[in-house]
Amino acid sequence: MNVLILEDDRDLGKYLESGLTEIGHSARLVASGELALSTLIDGAFDVAVLDRMVPGLDGYSVMREAREAGCQTPILMLTALGGIEDRVEALEGGADDYLTKPFAFAEFSARLTALSRRIMPQAAQDVLRVGDVEMNLRRRTVKRAGRGIELQPREFSLLEQLLRSPDRILTRTILLERVWNLGFDPQTNIVETHMSRLRTKLNQGFERNAIRTVRGSGYIMSDEDD
């Protein structure tokens, strides 16, 4: 596993870097947000670890700008801020997981492994398709009836979950867990907001809704009209 680490605390950064190296991984440690952003966008990393509170361009800004640039690398956010609001903000902003300081290295390592495994099993199937919606996992592209559709990382992840479960209703709870790694209800409309944006992009120029809402239950990819 190739890991990028943004951490301005030299002792902690070296501890994480050496710990990952000892268990067989490759780690690149950087101390500035600007360098982390360019390295993340230009490099090939399995996971990125970003300290939220670093001088200059902070970890949250690095994550946001990387996502806007199309970076799909899984991101683990490190921070001393442990409130639910802080976690939701980070996850909504593009983080895949969130770990508060102080933490045990064993948990840190386990979370990185989980993030990398979330993508690795998908390699066996490069293309997902339901009806006229097609997703190429290797190229990270989405088409509907042959027309390309640009999606943000979280929208892409939402659609991927739906395409992987054709003819199956995915509840809000399932989507929170699989897409945002949340084992609790943040009491926000995070799923509904992203689903609305995804639907708008998928349905533009088409009469049929690609994603059907099952009232009181959840969402399903449908090849039939509502």
Side-chain angles (χ1 to χ4, degrees), residues 93-150:
D96 296 278
D97 202 356
Y98 191 100
L99 186 60
T100 56
K101 301 177 180 180
F103 54 85
F105 181 81
E107 180 181 4
F108 170 77
S109 175
R111 285 176 180 262
L112 293 187
T113 300
L115 286 178
S116 66
R117 284 176 176 169
R118 194 178 298 177
I119 291 181
M120 290 169 60
Q122 299 167 2
Q125 185 178 8
D126 290 340
V127 178
L128 302 176
R129 186 181 295 106
V130 174
D132 57 0
V133 179
E134 177 183 297
M135 171 180 286
N136 189 305
L137 294 168
R138 186 178 297 275
R139 297 178 181 176
R140 306 295 291 182
T141 59
V142 173
K143 294 180 180 180
R144 181 169 186 188
R147 187 178 72 186
I149 299 173
E150 293 293 329

Side-chain angles (χ1 to χ4, degrees), residues 26-69:
S26 175
R28 169 78 185 277
L29 176 63
V30 297
S32 77
E34 290 79 8
L35 180 56
L37 179 60
S38 61
T39 304
L40 180 58
I41 292 176
D42 296 337
F45 295 93
D46 298 303
V47 183
V49 179
L50 305 179
D51 182 0
R52 179 162 185 166
M53 301 174 70
V54 297
L57 191 68
D58 60 36
Y60 183 86
S61 299
V62 171
M63 173 184 66
R64 188 182 64 240
E65 292 189 28
R67 292 306 190 212
E68 290 176 353

Side-chain angles (χ1 to χ4, degrees), residues 18 41 71 92 116:
S18 62
I41 292 176
C71 177
E92 285 188 325
S116 66

Side-chain angles (χ1 to χ4, degrees), residues 191-204:
V191 174
E192 292 78 5
T193 297
H194 284 78
M195 187 65 73
S196 177
R197 293 171 183 167
L198 172 59
R199 283 174 132 166
T200 296
K201 293 180 179 181
L202 281 180
N203 294 333
Q204 187 173 7

Side-chain angles (χ1 to χ4, degrees), residues 1 12 15 29 49 51 60 63 79 82 103 121 143 162 170-171 178 196 201 203 206 211 222:
M1 183 164 55
L12 177 57
Y15 171 71
L29 176 63
V49 179
D51 182 0
Y60 183 86
M63 173 184 66
T79 180
F103 54 85
K143 294 180 180 180
L162 290 164
L170 296 186
T171 66
R178 292 184 181 178
S196 177
K201 293 180 179 181
N203 294 333
F206 296 90
I211 301 172
S222 173

Side-chain angles (χ1 to χ4, degrees), residues 71-91:
C71 177
Q72 303 285 341
T73 302
I75 292 175
L76 171 66
M77 185 70 71
L78 292 182
T79 180
L81 304 175
I84 291 179
E85 297 82 3
D86 300 308
R87 294 178 61 187
V88 170
E89 181 184 22
L91 293 166

